[in-house]
Amino acid sequence: MRFPGIARRIIVVLALACLAAPVLGAPTSHPSQADGRPTVGLVLSGGGARGVAHVGVLRVLEEMQVPVDYVAGTSMGAIIGGLYASGLSADEIARAIENMDWNAMFRDHPDRKDRSFRRKSEDRRLLVKAQPGLDFRTGELKLPLGFIEGQRITLAIKDLTTQVATVSDFDLLPTPFRAVATDIGTGQAVVLGSGDLALSITASMAIPGVFSPTRLDGRVLVDGGITNNLPMDVARSMGADILIVVDISTPLHPPEALSNPLIITDQLTSIMTRSNTERNLATLSSRDILIVPDLGDITSVDFERAQDAKEEGYRAADAIRSRLAAISLANGDYQRWRNLRDSRTELPPMIEFIDISTDVRLDPAILRDKIEHPTGHRLEPGQMDRDIGTLYGMGLFEKISYQVVERDGRHGVLVNARAKRWGPDYLQFGMDLEDDFEGDTLFNLRVAYLRTAMNSLGAEWRSEATVGEEPRLFTGWYQPLDQDQLYFVHPTASWGKRNVNVFEDGKRVAEYRLTEYGLGLAAGRELGTWGEVRAGYRRSEISSSLRVGEPSNLDADYSEGVAFLRFEVDELDNVNFPTEGHWGFVDYGWHRDAFGDDGSFDQLAYGADIVLTWDRLTVRPGISGGTSLNGTAPVSRLFELGGFLRLSGLERNELSGEDYLLVRTVVYRRINKSEFLPVYFGGSVEYGSIGDDVDLQDGKAAGSLFLGVDSVIGPIYIGGGWAEGGNGTGFMFLGRRF
């Protein structure tokens, strides 16, 4: 039986559709088919940083006036292909990649400037960045499904594709586009042809175990390279007659390089990727054009070599200009094709409403109030990024995305704030380790339990336990009072032990153990993300016992009742080794017998740091001090100096008194490029005085040299310090110092 030509074409298309992977989106029809020329499909493979070579290929195609009618890409190929399909030129994509901080793209935690002040305050005690979830009912630990959620890169793609913000059918993009992902539940390839462009691209590059899977339309999606790294079949099913295929897939490691589990895992992934790539390459026809850039030793994570990859892509495409010339267009025809492509882009839409969708037990109005993007104006991606950064900084969400939607002829933004799958209960960890290499060691291990979003206003309950040299128990309920989460009350209860040293002539002669338990109640106001003011009352009972040495006249048993006022500012970009920002506080306490205090005195404490950076060199000048007024402070409330960065070279807390003043400048320089384990070399110059009445002429000069590492378990310092008078000591710290 013979079929007419058109019927035969329909049967072929239907057969290909049946054989293809599941498709989310309708088959394409593109206006370029009307000119009667063969249609061209561009196929871009995955390969991480190697995929920047695709940009060089695109530049040659533009120079040769080769029309691209369809684009299909996987992983990094989906990023480059999606940006091109959205209307960007090769040069615009190149500039975007050059300006992109790829190391930041692959860091999921929000910028510290965007975090709420409450989250910032945790940094100084809870050093470990990982925060596993805890099912309190079963005791089960819950972990994220990947190291990276893809928050930053999704927003970056959103910013670059604003010109097609209202397009949900990828056939209606300036160039019809498909991204390929893998359904981790079924192992099938999934072709994404509709929906949110940025989320589809992110799904295509979600490397299992590295990126958390993307959930779309009931599917759990990961990197498409696992099933279809070179989606030639997808481009053909879209309608392409001729394929330009760019293969930048990662080659296998040689046997001698298989030296650790990470490399073995990468090898297994490469084997799966290469296997499906070879199957697709076997379908190349004589009309198709294959481009394989010589990327040499550029790896999938070598984003610092993006320029090299782009140049190799250009060189590989430039070498086959004679073949590309066969499908290039004359000036007039190419300009008409460009005009048609450009006509599918538009100005950012007018935003008439902003809605919030969230599964967190929190009044959506609270989240809405944190979004400052105005309605009645065109979409401003930068402002949306800042708003979403503020929401993300609350620490409650796994991922926050937004999408332009249309309702009743009006465009608006739907913000989807998805709760952490491993929340809302979390464990947090901290550690303090101090060793002077002379037998004086301090060690504390800290664990905290945090329960978030306990009511519609966002109440939190935190309990903390410290074991070691300075054991402590703490619990507190943080209750916002208003929809803006500005005002709060914070009742607390605590118990702890700490040591007080007694020195004579620079030698420690005794050590007392203080035990303190108390209750507190504070009320205050958060000042955006940069500061906080609070006032309250604290009632404590303090007792002492001799631990080491000869009994002295120390009497630390004390009943304390104090009303206090505290103001704090924190705009540091990193609490361990900041490169910009400032920090400061003022704390004033009124101790009165009417409040239940055994004494009657006032006490003022203050401190401030400013951070300045030139290239890799950071200078951090600072001042701290305290004074006791209108009475005599008990020994339990004396100020202390001594130890690293607090008159380095002296023993820890060697000096004490009712008043003190310390000025210092800390300088450090980044000596490596690793984003995962930054290493610094630095030093300090310090001058301080302490006693019953501060006299700077009687102060001590001190200094230090150190090697610092910003590790995943907290900052580590190794070095030595010296102080005026010939004092000197070595040290190793794990924990907060600045």
Side-chain angles (χ1 to χ4, degrees), residues 485-507:
Q485 293 189 318
L486 297 177
Y487 298 92
F488 64 87
V489 293
H490 190 199
T492 60
S494 63
W495 169 93
K497 293 178 179 284
R498 61 187 177 94
N499 299 329
V500 172
N501 295 317
V502 179
F503 286 84
E504 294 181 1
D505 300 325
K507 295 183 178 181

Side-chain angles (χ1 to χ4, degrees), residues 282-485:
T283 68
L284 280 168
S285 73
S286 59
R287 303 178 70 186
D288 299 330
I289 300 172
L290 175 63
I291 302 174
V292 185
D294 183 9
L295 296 172
D297 61 350
I298 299 177
T299 70
S300 59
V301 296
D302 282 340
F303 285 98
E304 68 273 10
R305 299 182 65 184
Q307 182 65 25
D308 295 340
K310 183 182 68 175
E311 291 175 357
E312 288 298 334
Y314 184 95
R315 189 174 293 113
D318 185 66
I320 58 168
R321 283 181 179 259
S322 59
R323 292 205 62 191
L324 294 173
I327 55 175
S328 66
L329 298 180
N331 289 338
D333 292 336
Y334 186 73
Q335 191 57 52
R336 283 190 289 274
W337 177 85
R338 287 293 301 267
N339 291 340
L340 178 62
R341 172 176 150 90
D342 293 342
S343 69
R344 292 187 162 199
T345 62
E346 59 185 25
L347 291 172
M350 296 291 292
I351 301 303
E352 301 297 332
F353 61 89
I354 299 176
D355 288 343
I356 302 287
S357 174
T358 183
D359 54 354
V360 171
R361 189 171 70 175
L362 201 67
D363 186 347
I366 292 176
L367 306 182
R368 177 63 183 89
D369 286 348
K370 296 183 182 296
I371 296 179
E372 298 181 355
H373 192 292
T375 55
H377 293 73
R378 294 194 180 277
L379 176 66
E380 300 177 19
Q383 182 60 58
M384 284 303 306
D385 287 355
R386 290 189 291 273
D387 292 342
I388 286 178
T390 300
L391 295 179
Y392 200 56
M394 297 173 70
L396 303 175
F397 304 104
E398 177 180 335
K399 194 170 186 178
I400 304 176
S401 61
Y402 71 91
Q403 187 174 4
V404 176
V405 296
E406 185 178 352
R407 294 175 185 167
D408 302 323
R410 302 162 65 236
H411 284 111
V413 170
L414 175 62
V415 177
N416 183 24
R418 190 174 70 224
K420 293 178 177 178
R421 284 189 294 262
W422 57 99
D425 302 337
Y426 306 97
L427 290 178
Q428 301 171 306
F429 301 94
M431 186 185 304
D432 300 319
L433 174 63
E434 181 174 336
D435 194 334
D436 64 359
F437 303 119
E438 295 181 359
D440 190 4
T441 301
L442 179 144
F443 177 76
N444 295 302
L445 181 64
R446 190 173 303 111
V447 60
Y449 167 72
L450 172 65
R451 187 164 194 182
T452 63
M454 296 193 67
N455 55 38
S456 61
L457 289 176
E460 296 182 352
W461 174 39
R462 171 184 297 282
S463 292
E464 189 176 304
T466 301
V467 296
E469 195 68 18
E470 297 176 341
R472 183 174 182 261
L473 297 175
F474 169 88
T475 190
W477 181 278
Y478 184 88
Q479 178 62 66
L481 300 176
D482 62 314
Q483 188 171 283
D484 294 329
Q485 293 189 318

Side-chain angles (χ1 to χ4, degrees), residues 92-112:
E92 288 171 327
I93 298 172
R95 285 195 295 271
I97 290 175
E98 290 168 3
N99 295 330
M100 195 170 288
D101 184 349
W102 286 98
N103 288 319
M105 291 297 106
F106 298 134
R107 290 197 307 268
D108 225 20
H109 54 275
D111 289 336
R112 198 165 185 274

